[in-house]
Amino acid sequence: MASKKPVNRPSVRHPSHNHPLRIFKSQEGDEIICSGCELDLIGQAFKCTKKDCDYVLHKSCFDLPRETKHKSHLAHPLTLLHSPPYGHSYTCDACGQYGSGFTYNCSECQYDVHVGCAFIPETVKREDHDHPLTLVYSTPCKGREDGAMFICDVCEEDMSENLWVYYCKECDYGTHVHSCAVYEDHQPKKGGGEGGRGGGGGESSSAAARMKSLMKAQDEMAAMEMAMMQAQLDAIDAAGSYVGSWEPRRRYYW
């Protein structure tokens, strides 16, 4: 009896990784971390073909532009690096947190931004504040001669003057860009109580969670693109060609 011929699924290449990658769909509850942005993996992705390698990328991270001109650093363009430029990690100049994955980097100024921070919304809304908060690229205390420190109005911790802030100028109210910047959920509130503010109110999320929800909202569109790409790869594979240098369209879904 003839043995079954092994299925040769087509693969693609990405400059961040030595091994070929294949299309991968993460499932809810998988608890997989993207090797690029270091956020939870959601929706369409690419996974390493090697069984002992756990390298995986969001499709949006796979498609990140190689260079971007960012409002936070107008002097020079920022270049996408697939590993930290200073060793095993770097400190993000936007949020002040460490990173070990992709970064947008200015080598001349040693300026680094998480790829997740690079595309956070320019305005957010907190349920406990009357006005939208606007993203600014340093604290309002930067350059003050009296040495005053800006204090986050949510966690009440001092903030370095160069960190990005979500800020309301009218009220002199500001927060960290991730852990304290909470978005208002526009779902109807549940529960009783005066003013409709009983228990079980709408969900809120950090800026990182908001980005992930935006990526999830784009999942259907990404799935269509992935299906088309899979069909193209299957056609190439059937023709006996090797897919070694597929060039993605430069787009992302933050």
Side-chain angles (χ1 to χ4, degrees):
M1 182 176 178
S3 59
K4 290 184 178 181
K5 186 178 180 180
V7 177
N8 182 25
R9 291 186 296 166
S11 59
V12 295
R13 295 277 185 172
H14 192 268
S16 66
H17 194 60
N18 292 330
H19 306 145
L21 307 176
R22 287 198 182 107
I23 294 171
F24 173 74
K25 178 68 164 65
S26 64
Q27 303 297 323
E28 188 173 352
D30 279 349
E31 296 186 356
I32 301 173
I33 301 299
C34 175
S35 301
C37 66
E38 301 178 277
L39 297 174
D40 291 338
L41 195 72
I42 294 177
Q44 303 295 331
F46 290 93
K47 191 177 189 302
C48 183
T49 57
K50 304 297 182 181
K51 291 183 178 180
D52 58 347
C53 182
D54 58 1
Y55 193 86
V56 62
L57 288 177
H58 285 115
K59 183 180 184 297
S60 52
C61 291
F62 189 98
D63 288 344
L64 283 169
R66 294 175 181 173
E67 188 175 274
T68 185
K69 191 74 172 179
H70 201 275
K71 292 180 180 179
S72 68
H73 194 73
L74 295 176
H76 311 107
L78 302 181
T79 302
L80 178 65
L81 301 182
H82 299 130
S83 59
Y86 319 110
H88 297 293
S89 65
Y90 65 92
T91 300
C92 176
D93 287 291
C95 67
Q97 301 298 312
Y98 289 109
S100 58
F102 292 3
T103 176
Y104 275 111
N105 167 267
C106 173
S107 59
E108 185 171 343
C109 302
Q110 294 190 338
Y111 183 83
D112 291 274
V113 177
H114 288 127
V115 295
C117 292
F119 303 109
I120 59 177
E122 293 191 353
T123 60
V124 300
K125 186 71 173 70
R126 280 187 59 91
E127 291 183 345
D128 59 358
H129 193 75
D130 292 336
H131 311 120
L133 306 181
T134 301
L135 180 63
V136 293
Y137 300 113
S138 61
T139 74
C141 290
K142 184 174 182 178
R144 286 184 53 158
E145 295 181 357
D146 59 5
M149 295 287 292
F150 187 81
I151 298 175
C152 173
D153 285 289
V154 175
C155 68
E156 299 184 345
E157 292 184 1
D158 292 347
M159 295 181 63
S160 170
E161 65 176 17
N162 290 315
L163 291 182
W164 298 4
V165 181
Y166 277 119
Y167 186 64
C168 173
K169 185 176 181 180
E170 182 176 349
C171 303
D172 190 27
Y173 177 97
T175 76
H176 288 96
V177 292
H178 287 316
S179 57
C180 301
V182 179
Y183 293 75
E184 180 179 15
D185 182 76
H186 296 287
Q187 298 293 329
K189 295 185 181 296
K190 301 178 182 179
E194 295 184 6
R197 297 188 65 85
E203 295 179 356
S204 297
S205 60
S206 68
R210 175 64 171 172
M211 287 187 291
K212 290 186 285 185
S213 69
L214 290 173
M215 292 164 61
K216 189 173 184 179
Q218 294 288 344
D219 191 44
E220 184 175 346
M221 181 186 297
M224 294 175 62
E225 289 191 357
M226 296 285 274
M228 293 174 62
M229 186 180 69
Q230 181 70 66
Q232 293 173 348
L233 291 173
D234 288 341
I236 293 173
D237 189 60
S241 299
Y242 174 69
V243 182
S245 58
W246 181 74
E247 181 70 18
R249 286 187 293 166
R250 295 297 168 186
R251 57 187 302 180
Y252 43 87
Y253 297 95
W254 301 104

